[in-house]
Amino acid sequence: MGCCGSAERPKREWKPLEDRSCTDLPWFLLFTLFLVGMGGICGFTIMTGGAARLVFGYDSYGNTCGQRNEPIEGVRLSGLDHTDRKFVFFLDPCNIDIIQRKIKSMALCVSQCPTEELATYFDLKRFAMMNGSELCSYELPGHKYPQLPERFEKCPKLPVPESKALPVFNRCTPVDISCYAKFAEAVITFVSDNSMLNRLIAGVAASKEIIVGLCLLALVLSMILMVIIRYISAVLVWILTALVVLGSLGGTSVLWWLYIDYRMTMNETMTKDLIETEEPNDGMKTTKDHAQGLLIYAVSATVFTGILLLLMLFMRKRVALTIALFHVAGKVFIHLPLLVLLPFCTFLALSLFWVYWIMVLLFLGTTGNPEKNEDTGLVEFRLTGSLQYMTWYHAVGLIWISEFILACQQMTVAGAVVTYYFTRDKTKLPVTPILSSVLRLARYHLGTVAKGSFIITLVKIPRLILMYIHNQLKGKENACARCMLKTCICCLWCLEKCLNYLNQNAYAATAINSTNFCTSARDAFMILVENALRVATINTVGDFVLFLGKILIVTCTAFAGVLALNYQRDYTEWILPLIIVCLFAFLVAHCFLSIFEIVVDVLFLCFAIDTKYNNGTPGREFYMDKALMEFVENSRRSMAMEERGRSKRARPKEDVELTEAKAMAPGTSSA
């Protein structure tokens, strides 16, 4: 059944099924075919010589260095045997095209890079005679370099700097990189003097042990916070609530005070000016506009504060659910400690894939048909015709597979948390719930993950294209076009975030009922809509608490860094080491607390399902933890008290109505 299927929904048990079946199998097959296509691109680049040209290098005539070559039609000096010439040498290595990111120089295959500076053509001749490495074009004999008139065009620019070959890619690279000053020009202009840059680099080099230690400290603090946050969540939530209320009231009061003060000052000034000039001037109009602006701000702040206070009033009871969920999430990490390793596994998988993707992209850059550039006369390899679409296919693969890896992490967490929640006796949990969740994912639900990640890809690609267009047209488009582009980018970003949240809950529903993606997304969406206020509370209060946790980790790490750097008096420059440490601390905290956030969201979905289909009676017992059970009992008691209060208020009114009815009845008297 598809997303819009109208068939009657079967009744579900809403608990982890023992007998599972594969979900979204067509999407698994489609994703497998896509992966085969990605592998085919890599194989094509290797078979057509693109990989060899990248690794071994090639000259300006289309010959690959270090091997025998086939001649290219219409290109002279192609098809040479370069078995003994294994290094690429550029005649002018400093002529760099920064925009196209390539060296604009003739390249030759040589047997040895120049090991010393060659200042004259006689030095080039001597180097060729002694080492057998000719640094001029192939048709020029080495013993005639000083006499040939073509030496100015087909020999390297003098002086030839000393060079060394790169370890893997066999390119002769100048030892003195001063000719690459264009790349450092911005840095040199910024610091005006190398002394500042040298001090920063020296500070990082001297404090590298402390930087590594502080990064490990941030890692440990993140792990500890995931466990103890259940004990401090209540304090953080109520501190947050108090700060928001006080901040909104204080901001509104300040705006009204500024408006009143400005209005009184304006009246005094206008009175004096009218007495002196007898007519209003431009300054009075400007002052009046400022006062009107302050009034608008004050009224807007008052409306915002009123809405905020009403929301706090109606949602105050639901804040307790957020605290209870944080408490249970802390217990989840105690029972499932391997959850803390998931960010490492995800980062490793993404890193390996990105390295592979970049490698194949570089292969594509040297793959294709050889074409002679009419302006320079050099041979370049370009993808033509239908082969050009391989680059776009490869780019889509970057997004889809990256989202697939992240979705696998979400499904793994959801499966483990669902197993924990719906196991009444926690002592009977599987030995390795994380591994069991991974195996279920690999055996049954890869198609669901592939479909969910593809939906995110469909939204992300247009947003990235619009961002690229916006950057390319910066300074050229009009204000209306710029506003429309930014609006579309913002809308697509919001849609992507909403779909990410829905996908995450759909994976949890799949982990529970083993249903396909569309059915799980629909069921999860209905559950979330029925608990909209609770969802809003958890996503606002909970996200802010986690943000405070990230700030706490960064602050503690920075404070420890200041103490450590202050203890070592030799470190005069603290700025760059502290910035590096703080960035790493925030990144680590974000990775770990994002897992915590997924756990809280999955726990909430399980809780909403539990309270909807169970009521605590025999045969329909709750699955929830003790902390959530206390929340449910407290909610029931408050609801019962409210009903008793309403009934007491309604009873006197009923008695009065009954008395009036008796008095109005015929034949009644007081005798």
Side-chain angles (χ1 to χ4, degrees):
M1 183 174 63
C3 288
C4 301
S6 56
E8 184 179 355
R9 296 173 56 188
K11 184 178 180 180
R12 302 193 181 89
E13 295 296 329
W14 279 107
K15 62 181 180 180
L17 299 178
E18 297 296 333
D19 299 327
R20 290 183 170 266
S21 59
C22 294
T23 55
D24 297 294
L25 187 58
W27 279 93
F28 170 71
L29 297 177
L30 178 63
F31 185 70
T32 303
L33 291 176
F34 184 84
L35 292 180
V36 171
M38 291 286 290
I41 292 176
C42 180
F44 175 80
T45 59
I46 294 175
M47 295 298 296
T48 56
R53 281 189 286 271
L54 176 68
V55 176
F56 301 114
Y58 62 96
D59 62 16
S60 297
Y61 305 105
N63 301 299
T64 302
C65 300
Q67 65 183 38
R68 187 186 299 273
N69 297 276
E70 298 293 332
I72 300 173
E73 184 179 356
V75 179
R76 66 183 188 89
L77 298 179
S78 62
L80 300 179
D81 184 3
H82 284 334
T83 306
D84 297 329
R85 299 174 177 176
K86 300 181 179 180
F87 303 100
V88 181
F89 175 74
F90 297 97
L91 301 189
D92 187 7
C94 296
N95 187 8
I96 301 173
D97 187 350
I98 299 178
I99 298 177
Q100 298 294 330
R101 298 177 295 279
K102 63 181 181 179
I103 298 177
K104 295 172 58 177
S105 170
M106 179 182 289
L108 301 173
C109 294
V110 298
S111 57
Q112 183 179 346
C113 298
T115 56
E116 58 181 348
E117 184 178 273
L118 306 176
T120 65
Y121 292 104
F122 289 98
D123 293 336
L124 290 177
K125 173 184 175 182
R126 176 176 54 82
F127 183 77
M129 294 296 100
M130 292 180 61
N131 301 292
S133 182
E134 299 178 348
L135 303 182
C136 295
S137 187
Y138 304 131
E139 72 270 22
L140 302 182
H143 63 281
K144 295 184 179 180
Y145 283 168
Q147 294 85 24
L148 294 174
E150 299 94 338
R151 65 183 184 274
F152 299 107
E153 297 178 357
K154 299 184 179 181
C155 284
K157 183 179 180 181
L158 298 179
V160 179
E162 178 186 356
S163 302
K164 286 186 178 180
L166 293 176
V168 177
F169 295 98
N170 300 323
R171 267 70 168 180
C172 294
T173 306
V175 176
D176 182 12
I177 60 173
S178 59
C179 64
Y180 301 138
K182 291 182 179 180
F183 290 107
E185 183 177 351
V187 177
I188 295 174
T189 303
F190 174 73
V191 299
S192 306
D193 186 9
N194 285 334
S195 58
M196 182 62 182
L197 183 61
N198 291 335
R199 287 201 303 270
L200 291 175
I201 296 175
V204 173
S207 57
K208 56 182 180 297
E209 295 85 1
I210 292 181
I211 292 176
V212 173
L214 292 173
C215 292
L216 293 176
L217 175 64
L219 190 64
V220 173
L221 289 176
S222 299
M223 293 181 179
I224 295 175
L225 183 63
M226 292 170 69
V227 177
I228 68 170
I229 197 171
R230 62 181 177 140
Y231 300 111
I232 62 175
S233 58
V235 177
L236 290 177
V237 167
W238 294 120
I239 288 177
L240 162 66
T241 304
L243 288 177
V244 170
V245 172
L246 293 177
S248 58
L249 289 175
T252 304
S253 302
V254 168
L255 285 173
W256 279 112
W257 177 77
L258 289 175
Y259 169 72
I260 294 173
D261 182 69
Y262 203 88
R263 187 74 180 180
M264 293 175 62
T265 305
M266 183 185 67
N267 291 336
E268 295 177 359
T269 305
M270 291 181 65
T271 303
K272 293 180 180 179
D273 292 342
L274 287 174
I275 293 175
E276 295 176 359
T277 61
E278 296 184 357
E279 60 180 6
N281 52 29
D282 294 337
M284 295 181 186
K285 296 180 180 179
T286 304
T287 304
K288 188 176 181 180
D289 292 340
H290 289 170
Q292 188 175 2
L294 280 174
L295 178 61
I296 294 174
Y297 295 148
V299 171
S300 302
T302 303
V303 173
F304 172 79
T305 302
I307 295 174
L308 183 63
L309 292 177
L310 289 175
L311 288 176
M312 289 290 182
L313 179 64
F314 287 112
M315 298 171 65
R316 69 188 187 280
K317 296 180 181 179
R318 294 175 177 85
V319 172
L321 175 59
T322 304
I323 298 173
L325 287 173
F326 273 59
H327 185 81
V328 177
K331 289 185 178 180
V332 170
F333 282 95
I334 293 177
H335 287 87
L336 310 177
L338 292 181
L339 276 176
V340 299
L341 298 180
L342 275 181
F344 295 106
C345 299
T346 305
F347 178 76
L348 179 62
L350 286 173
S351 300
L352 292 176
F353 169 67
W354 289 340
V355 169
Y356 165 82
W357 188 86
I358 293 173
M359 180 185 68
V360 176
L361 182 66
L362 294 175
F363 289 170
L364 284 171
T366 55
T367 301
N369 301 317
E371 293 184 357
K372 186 175 182 180
N373 191 319
E374 299 299 334
D375 297 331
T376 62
L378 308 180
V379 174
E380 299 175 354
F381 290 88
R382 295 177 180 175
L383 294 172
T384 56
S386 59
L387 297 179
Q388 300 180 55
Y389 296 106
M390 287 196 302
T391 305
W392 289 101
Y393 188 96
H394 195 58
V396 172
L398 171 65
I399 302 174
W400 191 4
I401 298 177
S402 298
E403 293 295 333
F404 177 83
I405 294 173
L406 294 174
C408 285
Q409 172 184 273
Q410 295 176 349
M411 178 67 89
T412 301
V413 175
V417 174
V418 163
T419 301
Y420 171 85
Y421 187 94
F422 288 100
T423 301
R424 299 185 191 277
D425 187 359
K426 306 305 180 187
T427 60
K428 295 182 180 179
L429 283 170
V431 179
T432 54
I434 304 297
L435 182 59
S436 301
S437 180
V438 172
L439 293 177
R440 284 198 303 270
L441 166 63
R443 185 174 180 181
Y444 300 110
H445 305 312
L446 286 178
T448 299
V449 173
K451 187 173 184 178
S453 56
F454 181 76
I455 292 174
I456 301 298
T457 303
L458 287 181
V459 179
K460 190 182 287 287
I461 288 176
R463 182 171 67 85
L464 294 177
I465 292 175
L466 290 178
M467 291 175 62
Y468 175 78
I469 295 175
H470 181 264
N471 290 330
Q472 292 296 315
L473 297 179
K474 187 172 292 184
K476 300 178 182 178
E477 78 279 16
N478 56 34
C480 182
R482 183 169 58 251
C483 180
M484 290 180 63
L485 277 175
K486 289 184 177 180
T487 302
C488 292
I489 292 171
C490 182
C491 292
L492 288 174
W493 180 84
C494 294
L495 178 61
E496 181 183 337
K497 294 301 178 183
C498 294
L499 289 176
N500 262 321
Y501 183 73
L502 182 59
N503 281 7
Q504 180 179 303
N505 288 277
Y507 300 148
T510 298
I512 297 173
N513 277 328
S514 190
T515 49
N516 61 44
F517 177 82
C518 288
T519 304
S520 300
R522 181 187 61 194
D523 293 342
F525 180 75
M526 296 304 297
I527 295 291
L528 295 176
V529 169
E530 292 171 0
N531 297 269
L533 288 179
R534 289 176 172 177
V535 172
T537 305
I538 293 171
N539 284 337
T540 52
V541 178
D543 288 352
F544 193 83
V545 170
L546 294 179
F547 175 75
L548 291 180
K550 298 174 187 178
I551 298 301
L552 177 64
I553 292 173
V554 173
T555 304
C556 293
T557 307
F559 180 70
V562 170
L563 293 180
L565 293 172
N566 183 57
Y567 179 75
Q568 299 289 342
R569 299 288 182 178
D570 297 336
Y571 305 145
T572 56
E573 295 298 336
W574 295 2
I575 298 176
L576 194 55
L578 281 179
I579 291 176
I580 294 174
V581 168
C582 291
L583 289 176
F584 182 83
F586 186 83
L587 178 63
V588 169
H590 175 74
C591 291
F592 279 92
L593 292 182
S594 64
I595 297 292
F596 192 93
E597 183 179 3
I598 295 174
V599 171
V600 171
D601 290 337
V602 175
L603 282 174
F604 171 72
L605 184 67
C606 295
F607 170 78
I609 293 169
D610 198 9
T611 54
K612 180 177 180 179
Y613 293 95
N614 299 309
N615 56 12
T617 58
R620 297 179 62 186
E621 295 86 356
F622 288 119
Y623 288 93
M624 65 185 66
D625 186 86
K626 183 180 178 181
L628 293 173
M629 190 76 73
E630 291 177 355
F631 168 78
V632 172
E633 294 298 331
N634 293 334
S635 299
R636 286 181 174 178
R637 280 196 295 267
S638 14
M639 290 177 63
M641 292 178 62
E642 290 178 0
E643 289 179 0
R644 283 197 298 269
R646 284 196 296 268
S647 62
K648 288 180 180 179
R649 287 192 298 269
R651 190 175 297 122
K653 183 177 180 181
E654 293 175 357
D655 294 341
V656 170
E657 292 177 351
L658 183 60
T659 303
E660 291 178 352
K662 289 181 179 180
M664 295 174 62
T668 59
S669 64
S670 58

